[in-house]
Amino acid sequence: MSAAANTSGPVAWIAVDWGTSRLRGWAMAADGRPVEARDSADGMGGLAPDQFGPALDRLTAGWPGDVPVIACGMVGSRQGWVEAPYAAVPCAPLAVTPVRVPGPRAVHIVPGLKQAAPPDVMRGEETQIAGYLAAHPGWDGVICLPGTHTKWAEISAGEVVSFRTFMTGELYALLSAHSVLRHSVAEGWDEAAFAAGVDDAIARPAEIAALLFRIRADHLLNGTAPGRAAARLSGLLIGAELAAARPYWLGREVAIIGADRIAAAYAAALSAQAVPVDRAGAEDMTLRGLAAARLLLGATR
Amino acid sequence: MSAAANTSGPVAWIAVDWGTSRLRGWAMAADGRPVEARDSADGMGGLAPDQFGPALDRLTAGWPGDVPVIACGMVGSRQGWVEAPYAAVPCAPLAVTPVRVPGPRAVHIVPGLKQAAPPDVMRGEETQIAGYLAAHPGWDGVICLPGTHTKWAEISAGEVVSFRTFMTGELYALLSAHSVLRHSVAEGWDEAAFAAGVDDAIARPAEIAALLFRIRADHLLNGTAPGRAAARLSGLLIGAELAAARPYWLGREVAIIGADRIAAAYAAALSAQAVPVDRAGAEDMTLRGLAAARLLLGATR
């Protein structure tokens, strides 16, 4: 790769968030600000091991090739580019130095976290947690990271004490697109229906499989509007999750990392339970976390 | 259609179970025994309204065309051949005379059941319930019909008092084929893993979305065998359903209609809760129920 940059500022390093379906990269200035951002569909899920290097070269074409690259996410899984073995909690979110990918380019992958009992894993969220702690030194509390697989992490003294994953986002996607509910759910939103769904599921979380089918029956018998049904489906699933995650948030301060509608929905649901909520942007936390990971490599690399 | 039959006995009527994905038919003798059975992929879900007649003709080719046809299932839904409006519970499972399809052939469709509060619907299961009651006159108790959408129905004095639908079967299919769990779940079974899954979900049903992801994490960290993971997934989902359906089965006698592995799994799970279980075959109950529906039409038709 040429070091000739088409960017507007000096690029000190490259930040990469490499998930299952997406590859995102930022040319970073020395002060931690992104100079340029790019993303592509070269997610880890569609790449063979020998395709990661070329995919990174395509994404970063024109950026300096001789600066370190710090990557987080599924790129470090067993099916990824190079396995970055999990660090075991309790530990700092960046407990282990990123793993160097063999080859001419200085690419480093941040390891994920694992928990032995109950068994759980994360890859990528540890970097956002590190970013939040870098922005809030000494902060103790609970971090919620909404997504396909929502994570709840308990933070104390700079360490992830324990965490827990809920398949809520994936359940929503499967149910709304592939189940019998697809006939009753469509684009749209209704705050009141969302809130009622949260309340119903928190009150009777065990009944979730029946509450879900009731969306279909309610549509057939009463003609519920599709957008209202979508909000209720989301509310039921998030409410059931909140019921199960109660030990994490009850009487605690919760930071939600995420800026999209789903993060806003979690914030609304938690606020309705009288939980104080702080919000932080996912991209901002990823970049702060990757910057913190870079420091682990030593300032000269 | 010609009345020239290629069957071995006298055909008095034709029984049809017409679901979303499958069409099944039986040439029936006057004594209620099937003379011949056929099935096809002409489910209601793939047919336009004008394709139902030809599909039935194909299925019954060679059977008498001048005997009554009694059909149950999604064929009577709004998207089906002719809508057979729901009867409202509490009512007998066959509270309303089957709806005659316009046309030369005497085709009658059994209406489904609806419940106003909480909203719920069934189509097809009412016929199996009627079959069970025909085989067990005066029986009171709870009938569980495992399937894509499992139904629980409370029966008293020959009526369906209330019922409840759980999307358990559909959730299993979606999660095992389309979610992140597809990497960890495959063909196979493990009685102990199933029973432990049932126990865990009955004890903590609210935590289902976390218990589900744990299957994935357990596979990643501990290499759980795929067949064991499949049994645990099934156990978790059925356990969560049993927790929610507790008012239906606690201290009651439960009849399970179904003969396949999933019905056996429900029977095992209920027996582990010390619930007395009776088993009945689904096809047998469908045919008995359709025979009962035929009697509603009058003996001469």
Side-chain angles (χ1 to χ4, degrees):
Chain A
M1 299 261 320
S2 147
N6 61 4
T7 53
S8 55
V11 175
W13 61 289
I14 294 170
V16 171
D17 179 5
W18 208 324
T20 302
S21 55
R22 294 175 68 198
L23 166 60
R24 306 174 71 199
W26 297 263
M28 301 293 291
D31 66 358
R33 292 178 189 279
V35 177
E36 186 184 346
R38 296 180 185 169
D39 73 272
S40 86
D42 280 330
M44 160 270 180
L47 300 177
D50 62 355
Q51 297 175 311
F52 284 88
L56 180 64
D57 290 345
R58 284 194 297 278
L59 184 81
T60 59
W63 292 354
D66 56 356
V67 299
V69 177
I70 320 290
C72 68
M74 292 301 288
V75 65
S77 70
R78 205 170 300 165
Q79 292 78 34
W81 192 354
V82 166
E83 184 173 4
Y86 299 108
V89 298
C91 65
L94 301 176
V96 175
T97 306
V99 171
R100 168 83 193 245
V101 175
R105 200 168 179 182
V107 179
H108 307 266
I109 301 179
V110 177
L113 299 183
K114 69 178 176 184
Q115 176 173 273
D120 214 329
V121 292
M122 67 167 69
R123 279 199 188 276
E125 294 89 351
E126 75 293 328
T127 300
Q128 298 184 323
I129 292 171
Y132 190 84
L133 295 183
H136 303 82
W139 185 89
D140 278 3
V142 170
I143 298 184
C144 172
L145 303 104
T148 303
H149 298 151
T150 296
K151 310 282 181 184
W152 292 79
E154 163 144 32
I155 309 297
S156 179
E159 293 198 332
V160 177
V161 177
S162 69
F163 66 98
R164 194 142 194 204
T165 305
F166 293 82
M167 291 181 58
T168 305
E170 184 160 23
L171 284 171
Y172 181 88
L174 288 174
L175 289 168
S176 60
H178 298 292
S179 84
V180 70
L181 299 185
R182 71 186 184 279
H183 304 299
S184 303
V185 168
E187 275 304 299
W189 197 251
D190 180 311
E191 286 297 338
F194 173 77
V198 171
D199 285 349
D200 288 354
I202 285 188
R204 291 171 294 161
E207 304 190 13
I208 189 71
L211 292 168
L212 292 175
F213 186 78
R214 199 176 299 167
I215 292 174
R216 174 64 178 153
D218 203 27
H219 174 225
L220 284 173
L221 299 180
N222 305 318
T224 315
R228 199 161 163 268
R232 178 165 177 84
L233 172 59
S234 178
L236 287 176
L237 293 172
I238 290 177
E241 177 181 327
L242 290 187
R246 199 187 299 266
Y248 275 88
W249 54 259
L250 192 67
R252 305 298 299 272
E253 186 180 338
V254 174
I256 297 179
I257 298 182
D260 56 359
R261 190 174 82 178
I262 192 68
Y266 274 82
L270 281 168
S271 297
Q273 305 297 318
V275 175
V277 170
D278 182 39
R279 298 280 300 279
E283 179 175 319
D284 188 25
M285 295 303 107
T286 298
L287 294 182
R288 282 177 184 266
L290 289 170
R294 178 181 169 236
L295 295 181
L296 296 177
L297 301 175
T300 60
R301 298 174 70 180
Chain B
M1 296 265 319
S2 147
N6 61 5
T7 53
S8 55
V11 175
W13 61 289
I14 294 170
V16 172
D17 178 6
W18 208 323
T20 302
S21 55
R22 293 176 68 199
L23 166 60
R24 306 175 70 200
W26 296 263
M28 301 292 290
D31 66 359
R33 291 178 189 279
V35 177
E36 186 185 346
R38 296 180 186 170
D39 74 273
S40 86
D42 280 329
M44 160 270 179
L47 299 177
D50 63 355
Q51 298 176 311
F52 283 88
L56 180 63
D57 289 346
R58 283 194 297 278
L59 184 81
T60 60
W63 293 355
D66 56 357
V67 299
V69 177
I70 320 291
C72 66
M74 292 302 287
V75 65
S77 70
R78 205 171 300 164
Q79 292 78 34
W81 192 354
V82 166
E83 184 173 4
Y86 300 108
V89 298
C91 65
L94 301 176
V96 175
T97 306
V99 171
R100 168 82 193 244
V101 175
R105 201 167 178 182
V107 179
H108 307 265
I109 301 178
V110 177
L113 299 183
K114 70 178 175 184
Q115 176 174 273
D120 214 327
V121 292
M122 68 166 69
R123 279 199 189 275
E125 293 90 351
E126 76 293 327
T127 300
Q128 298 184 323
I129 292 171
Y132 191 83
L133 294 183
H136 303 82
W139 187 87
D140 279 3
V142 170
I143 298 183
C144 172
L145 302 105
T148 303
H149 298 152
T150 296
K151 311 281 182 185
W152 291 79
E154 164 143 29
I155 310 297
S156 178
E159 292 198 331
V160 177
V161 178
S162 70
F163 65 99
R164 192 139 195 208
T165 305
F166 292 81
M167 290 179 59
T168 305
E170 184 160 23
L171 283 171
Y172 182 88
L174 288 174
L175 288 168
S176 59
H178 299 293
S179 83
V180 70
L181 300 185
R182 71 185 183 278
H183 304 300
S184 304
V185 168
E187 276 304 299
W189 196 251
D190 179 312
E191 286 299 338
F194 173 77
V198 171
D199 285 349
D200 288 353
I202 285 189
R204 293 169 293 163
E207 305 191 13
I208 189 71
L211 293 168
L212 292 175
F213 185 78
R214 198 176 299 168
I215 292 173
R216 174 64 178 152
D218 204 27
H219 174 225
L220 284 173
L221 299 180
N222 305 319
T224 315
R228 200 162 162 267
R232 179 165 177 85
L233 173 59
S234 179
L236 288 176
L237 294 172
I238 290 177
E241 176 182 328
L242 290 186
R246 199 186 300 266
Y248 275 89
W249 54 258
L250 192 67
R252 305 297 300 272
E253 185 179 340
V254 174
I256 297 179
I257 298 183
D260 56 359
R261 191 174 80 178
I262 191 70
Y266 274 82
L270 282 167
S271 297
Q273 304 298 318
V275 175
V277 170
D278 183 37
R279 299 279 301 279
E283 179 175 319
D284 188 24
M285 294 304 107
T286 298
L287 294 182
R288 282 177 185 266
L290 289 169
R294 177 179 168 237
L295 295 181
L296 296 177
L297 300 175
T300 59
R301 298 174 69 181

